[in-house]
Amino acid sequence: MFHIAFPVLLSLYLTMLVSVIALGWCWDAWQQRRLARLARRFRLQCRRCALEWEDRSAEPLPKCPRCGSVNERTPLESV
């Protein structure tokens, strides 16, 4: 049988608890960034009227739904 002092046992428990919480926090932050990056994949911004819209079509030059101008598929800058 192992004999472990109470302060050592308490410090091990707290260290493991804080580690699990920190790992969960890092995982959640990573998931949020990943989902934001995936959401920006299909977002476009019109160069003429600055409207942002989502376009999932395969057209290389999609038209703006507001002003009708043709836009290139350039990725939006991350904020």
Side-chain angles (χ1 to χ4, degrees):
M1 185 94 179
F2 293 106
H3 296 285
I4 299 175
F6 181 70
V8 173
L9 187 63
L10 183 64
S11 65
L12 285 174
Y13 173 74
L14 289 176
T15 302
M16 287 178 18
L17 180 66
V18 168
S19 297
V20 167
I21 290 171
L23 284 173
W25 184 35
C26 289
W27 177 261
D28 185 54
W30 178 74
Q31 287 282 44
Q32 291 292 329
R33 281 190 312 237
R34 184 173 123 335
L35 290 174
R37 189 175 57 244
L38 287 174
R40 279 195 318 265
R41 176 187 288 172
F42 298 108
R43 299 290 301 171
L44 297 172
Q45 183 174 17
C46 179
R47 301 221 183 252
R48 187 175 189 189
C49 67
L51 174 72
E52 285 189 19
W53 81 96
E54 184 173 322
D55 182 44
R56 292 182 179 262
S57 68
E59 293 181 37
L61 298 172
K63 288 187 177 184
C64 174
R66 181 188 292 167
C67 67
S69 68
V70 177
N71 293 280
E72 293 180 11
R73 286 196 177 272
T74 55
L76 286 179
E77 308 224 353
S78 59
V79 178

